[in-house]
Amino acid sequence: MDDVILLSRLQFAVAVFFHFIFVPLTLGLSLLIALMETWYVKTGNEAWRRHAKFWGKLFVINFTLGVVTGITLEFQFGTNWSRYSEYVGDIFGSLLAIEATVAFFLESTFLAVWHFGWNRVGKKVHLLSIWLVVIAGNLSALWIILANGFMQNPLGYVIQNGRAELDDFFAVLCNPYAWGMYAHTLMAAWMLSGFFVLGVSAWHLLRKSHTDFFRMSFRMAAPITLVLAVALAATGDLQGKTVAQLQPAKLAAMESHWETTTNAPFYMLVLPDVENERNSVEAIGIPGLMSWIAYGDANAEVKGLKDFPKEDRPPVAPVFWGFRAMVGLGVVFLILAAAATLQRKRDMPCSGLMKALVWNIPLPYFSIAFGWLVAEMGRQPWIVYNLMRTSDAVSPVPAGNVLFSLIGFIVVYTLLGVLDIWLLRKYACKGPEEV
Amino acid sequence: MLETLQIVWFILWALLWAVYFVLDGFDLGLGSLLPCLGKSEEDRRIMYNAAGPFWDGNEVWLISAGGVTFAAFPTVYAVMFSALYAPLLLLLFALIFRAVSFEFRGKVESAAWRGFWDLIHFVSNLVPSILLGVAFANLFMGIPVDAEGVYHGNLLGLLNPYGLAGGVFFLVMFMLHGSLWLAIKSEGDLQLRALATASLLWPIMLVLLLVFLGMTWSYTRLFDNYFAQPALFLLPLVALAGLVGARVMLRAGRLWLAWACSGLYIVGVTFFGVSGMFPGMIISSLDPAATLTAYNASSTELTLSIMLGVALVMVPIVLIYQSWAYHIFRKPVTGEDLKDEHAY
């Protein structure tokens, strides 16, 4: 049974992290394309039409893998987590079903109209189509995060007939954890897309190819990306405070904070020593900062990990390091976005910055992955916080089956990931069609 | 009230699967016909683009059918997909490869690259067509699950004579549906071959239908419901009428109507099977007491009512805008269309 749990968790992690390589660009690039096309329709400037088409091509290559890897996720709750599905399906299942009927149909249908319809529908209908794709994609994110929010902070249910039954749908929809997470996720996805546009544009500008075209993309994306990087930090801070309230054990693991203290300091350098339930290094402390980050009050009490029974603590090392990496990258993004915004009016922004922007393209992907690692590993050992343990949730299937499918996922996803990134790179480097 | 909702959701559950089979059925069938009908590069590209703007939206009906199973009958969702673990994952992997074959095939100028993806495209359309038939035939017949929802069988156990018959049946049903679609979406020689294929598949389909009905009689208990409620015999008659209608309309050259009749046939077949199961959803072949039904496996009254509200509002809206999208792309794919930079 332990094997099945471990293998199922690994498989879900592989499937969900791979899926989330494609999701952020879907959410954010569609928005930037919609803005480009809006300007085209408003001003009649053909250049914006070329922009929408060029970035649209990259969008579609990315979108396809996002869709199909998402389908496998929906079914994995049944294949690998059937006890979980039975226990909370009354609530969780409805959120997934609504996501499909409200958002996925809209997104897939209108993306087809947009992609194949340049010469078949009028300008305004075409513009409306891309906006519907933006709305639908971002709406689907809301429903899936409401579902995730139920796992993090279950609300609106009663335990009855041996399962969690829906009691108050409105409470499920108003979950503060979910809304905070939604805001943070959207900002991250949109900012990632901004950096994607900046990075690809910088690559071309460095090579002096299609300079007019990519200067225009660069100028458009830089200030938007800066605003989003700031909003990302702000929503992250807010969500940290929500976690402090609702999931104190997760917060303690994020900070590797062992002893309950008031006026808790924040240490710039920390090295957790999980075995001895302490930190072997704690240096450059700022008094009261951790209390202030968590509760907005430098004197507030921050609960330490030792106050939670060992079997209820999340694994400290991945949550702690994931959080540090995410925040560290967030600082890098602020600096890069600010520099790009300051230099955007130049004919040729400084080449060091542009090289950095090219190399930065993958970094927002990593920081988003770290963020989800913190959110989901920090939820352990619970699959539904304080309600159901992950170890009780797994399907009664043979370990061999899961091992087989896990290997399948790893092989297939690696192949497809490499191919897809190769194609994205190929079309990104090729540049726009000539006029 | 709860009981009414459970019955309504059972019907909606069947309807979502039926719509999925009708819509994704034609592009799965089309892809399974690729090696037979796609003689030249242009033919093959027309076949890809005939499904081009539709396959993705069609696949969302599978997500919806899965999502609705989860929302309305969580226990069925849990047992169905953990019991059918291997075939379901096989289906999902195939659908991944299918999507990718659409997207990747035309992205590199090389005959070997395109030939490779043509092969992937064929296999990844063929496998789901067969698997869906195998899975549903086994659901009609009952699968070895115990009262704890633990499955006592394996993938080979599903490949019993009735399951295999279901697989072949679905494959031919989708191929017929797909060849009619291709006839609508193509011109000239390719269209003639699509029409010839449809005419060739039709009698095979009729024979398979009769064989499948006969096997259903001996392998399953679906007909019990029919003798208890003879009015239900209308459903197989609807299926038969759809099949005959497809032939008549095909002869008359009314291709859209022929395709619609074929769709009606698929709906009739789905409802024929599912009505025979009612109220069973996962019929246990080990122990009748372990059978999951619309009554013992459903969500609460509150969830079922909320979801009914969502479905009553959203499904008609979806059908309206999807029909509109079908209307926009209703014309045959021509050589001119293939020159478009966005074509597959």
Side-chain angles (χ1 to χ4, degrees):
Chain A
M1 202 62 193
D2 286 351
D3 290 344
V4 180
I5 297 167
L6 181 67
L7 291 168
S8 300
R9 287 185 63 189
L10 270 174
Q11 178 167 307
F12 202 89
V14 168
V16 81
F17 276 118
F18 189 74
H19 176 57
F20 223 82
I21 295 175
F22 306 99
V23 173
L25 201 61
T26 301
L27 299 179
L29 194 54
S30 59
L31 178 65
L32 294 173
I33 294 168
L35 289 172
M36 292 165 182
E37 195 170 337
T38 305
W39 289 324
Y40 161 63
V41 172
K42 268 191 146 171
T43 64
N45 182 350
E46 280 290 325
W48 284 121
R49 183 169 187 264
R50 281 179 75 214
H51 273 83
K53 279 200 163 188
F54 170 72
W55 296 106
K57 198 164 240 175
L58 301 182
F59 176 83
V60 171
I61 296 174
N62 173 75
F63 181 80
T64 311
L65 270 191
V67 172
V68 286
T69 54
I71 301 184
T72 62
L73 275 176
E74 188 205 25
F75 286 98
Q76 268 196 61
F77 294 109
T79 52
N80 296 81
W81 304 98
S82 64
R83 297 300 185 217
Y84 165 80
S85 302
E86 282 175 66
Y87 195 69
V88 299
D90 195 43
I91 301 147
F92 192 85
S94 56
L95 298 172
L96 290 199
I98 293 174
E99 182 188 15
T101 43
V102 172
F104 288 158
F105 280 120
L106 199 63
E107 191 178 21
S108 57
T109 307
F110 283 94
L111 182 61
V113 172
W114 185 78
H115 183 62
F116 296 100
W118 282 98
N119 305 317
R120 301 206 188 206
V121 294
K123 260 190 197 177
K124 292 213 166 128
V125 175
H126 197 260
L127 178 64
L128 178 68
S129 302
I130 188 71
W131 276 110
L132 287 172
V133 172
V134 177
I135 291 167
N138 286 282
L139 201 60
S140 80
L142 173 64
W143 287 100
I144 195 66
I145 287 176
L146 281 172
N148 178 259
F150 183 79
M151 302 168 80
Q152 302 279 359
N153 177 37
L155 290 173
Y157 67 96
V158 282
I159 300 297
Q160 225 166 271
N161 305 317
R163 61 177 182 175
E165 298 195 334
L166 183 64
D167 179 48
D168 180 357
F169 193 56
F170 197 65
V172 174
L173 296 187
C174 296
N175 190 337
Y177 180 96
W179 283 94
M181 196 58 160
Y182 181 55
H184 193 48
T185 307
L186 283 199
M187 292 311 110
W190 295 357
M191 184 203 72
L192 173 144
S193 309
F195 274 122
F196 181 84
V197 171
L198 286 175
V200 173
S201 303
W203 189 90
H204 281 282
L205 290 175
L206 279 167
R207 279 158 191 76
K208 310 241 183 316
S209 76
H210 305 281
T211 37
D212 289 339
F213 183 93
F214 286 106
R215 216 174 273 144
M216 201 162 160
S217 295
F218 193 94
R219 273 182 199 161
M220 175 209 177
I224 296 178
T225 310
L226 177 60
V227 171
L228 292 170
V230 173
L232 179 64
T235 52
D237 176 60
L238 281 175
Q239 186 64 356
K241 291 182 167 53
T242 308
V243 167
Q245 296 280 339
L246 301 172
Q247 300 179 316
K250 184 193 271 183
L251 182 87
M254 281 156 70
E255 303 287 6
S256 187
H257 180 62
W258 296 95
E259 310 284 346
T260 299
T261 39
T262 53
N263 193 18
F266 180 89
Y267 295 101
M268 301 300 275
L269 291 177
V270 176
L271 200 57
D273 176 2
V274 177
E275 211 153 284
N276 298 310
E277 304 193 324
R278 64 188 187 91
N279 295 327
S280 46
V281 176
E282 280 182 348
I284 324 180
I286 303 165
L289 184 60
M290 193 198 294
S291 292
W292 187 79
I293 290 173
Y295 296 99
D297 168 11
N299 292 316
E301 180 187 274
V302 182
K303 249 186 155 190
L305 281 161
K306 282 186 177 174
D307 270 13
F308 300 93
K310 267 195 173 164
E311 68 273 17
D312 290 350
R313 290 181 204 164
V316 177
V319 176
F320 169 78
W321 289 113
F323 181 63
R324 291 260 154 162
M326 176 185 80
V327 173
L329 286 170
V331 175
V332 173
F333 301 148
L334 281 169
I335 296 167
L336 280 176
T341 306
L342 287 174
Q343 301 217 348
R344 73 186 187 284
K345 295 262 165 76
R346 290 197 195 174
D347 275 351
M348 202 38 87
C350 93
S351 70
L353 171 65
M354 299 224 275
K355 277 180 195 153
L357 284 171
V358 175
W359 286 104
N360 177 60
I361 292 176
L363 295 188
Y365 289 92
F366 284 111
S367 90
I368 286 180
F370 288 133
W372 280 113
L373 183 91
V374 172
E376 305 310 306
M377 287 290 262
R379 168 172 48 81
Q380 304 299 333
W382 307 98
I383 192 164
V384 184
Y385 204 66
N386 283 339
L387 186 65
M388 184 185 210
R389 281 178 195 273
T390 309
S391 52
D392 296 329
V394 81
S395 296
V397 292
N401 276 10
V402 188
L403 181 64
F404 198 70
S405 58
L406 174 61
I407 294 171
F409 271 108
I410 292 173
V411 172
V412 170
Y413 278 10
T414 308
L415 278 172
L416 293 182
V418 170
L419 262 180
D420 197 69
I421 290 167
W422 175 70
L423 278 178
L424 267 176
R425 191 175 172 280
K426 178 181 145 143
Y427 277 86
C429 295
K430 198 174 144 204
E433 306 277 328
E434 294 306 330
V435 190
Chain B
M1 183 61 191
L2 176 61
E3 203 184 309
T4 315
L5 279 167
Q6 286 163 331
I7 295 170
V8 167
W9 269 108
F10 183 90
I11 297 169
L12 283 174
W13 177 73
L15 184 68
L16 281 169
W17 282 106
V19 174
Y20 171 65
F21 293 150
V22 171
L23 291 182
D24 218 19
F26 77 76
D27 51 52
L28 287 169
L30 193 58
S32 307
L33 288 168
L34 184 70
C36 307
L37 290 174
K39 300 282 183 217
S40 67
E41 169 62 13
E42 179 165 324
D43 289 349
R44 287 191 289 272
R45 284 197 62 201
I46 288 174
M47 290 178 75
Y48 277 93
N49 284 289
F54 309 109
W55 66 270
D56 187 13
N58 294 344
E59 227 168 81
V60 178
W61 287 94
L62 173 66
I63 308 181
S64 285
V68 155
T69 313
F70 200 173
F73 304 103
T75 317
V76 172
Y77 171 85
V79 174
M80 182 168 170
F81 296 128
S82 59
L84 301 177
Y85 189 93
L88 185 77
L89 281 161
L90 217 56
L91 173 79
L92 294 177
F93 279 124
L95 291 179
I96 289 178
F97 277 107
R98 180 171 80 126
V100 170
S101 67
F102 273 107
E103 207 50 61
F104 285 5
R105 181 186 188 273
K107 293 280 190 290
V108 177
E109 283 298 324
S110 143
W113 170 269
R114 285 195 299 259
F116 171 74
W117 287 110
D118 284 341
L119 179 67
I120 296 275
H121 190 72
F122 164 62
V123 175
S124 63
N125 279 287
L126 184 75
V127 167
S129 308
I130 296 172
L131 277 178
L132 286 167
V134 171
F136 270 79
N138 277 284
L139 289 178
F140 294 162
M141 191 169 61
I143 54 175
V145 284
D146 66 21
E148 297 298 308
V150 180
Y151 179 66
H152 297 274
N154 55 37
L155 183 58
L156 287 178
L158 297 174
L159 300 178
N160 51 65
Y162 186 67
L164 287 172
V168 175
F169 181 81
F170 264 55
L171 177 63
V172 174
M173 182 165 82
F174 288 171
M175 280 178 160
L176 175 63
H177 200 43
S179 58
L180 290 170
W181 181 256
L182 182 60
I184 291 171
K185 293 290 287 181
S186 61
E187 292 171 329
D189 192 41
L190 182 61
Q191 187 189 34
L192 289 178
R193 270 182 283 137
L195 289 169
T197 308
S199 307
L200 177 75
L201 285 172
W202 192 85
I204 301 175
M205 185 77 261
L206 185 65
V207 172
L208 280 173
L209 176 66
L210 297 175
V211 171
F212 191 71
L213 283 175
M215 288 179 81
T216 301
W217 179 272
S218 60
Y219 279 89
T220 77
R221 311 199 47 168
L222 294 189
F223 282 105
D224 290 2
N225 274 354
Y226 287 82
F227 289 110
Q229 284 288 343
L232 284 176
F233 275 108
L234 275 174
L235 291 169
L237 286 180
V238 166
L240 199 62
L243 189 57
V244 172
R247 178 74 196 154
V248 173
M249 292 303 160
L250 181 61
R251 278 255 168 90
R254 311 282 300 270
L255 295 178
W256 278 101
L257 280 174
W259 181 75
C261 283
S262 165
L264 182 69
Y265 167 62
I266 296 175
V267 173
V269 166
T270 312
F271 271 89
F272 159 71
V274 175
S275 308
M277 291 164 72
F278 183 84
M281 298 182 79
I282 303 287
I283 297 168
S284 169
S285 58
L286 299 176
D287 172 12
T291 290
L292 295 176
T293 68
Y295 302 126
N296 69 14
S298 86
S299 286
T300 54
E301 192 174 321
L302 179 59
T303 298
L304 291 179
S305 341
I306 291 172
M307 289 308 299
L308 186 62
V310 172
L312 289 180
V313 175
M314 290 314 299
V315 171
I317 294 178
V318 169
L319 286 173
I320 289 170
Y321 66 65
Q322 279 205 337
S323 312
W324 173 76
Y326 271 75
H327 179 74
I328 292 177
F329 300 109
R330 68 192 177 281
K331 297 242 171 69
V333 183
T334 62
E336 202 54 39
D337 293 326
L338 297 183
K339 288 186 194 133
D340 187 285
E341 58 172 313
H342 297 288
Y344 282 124

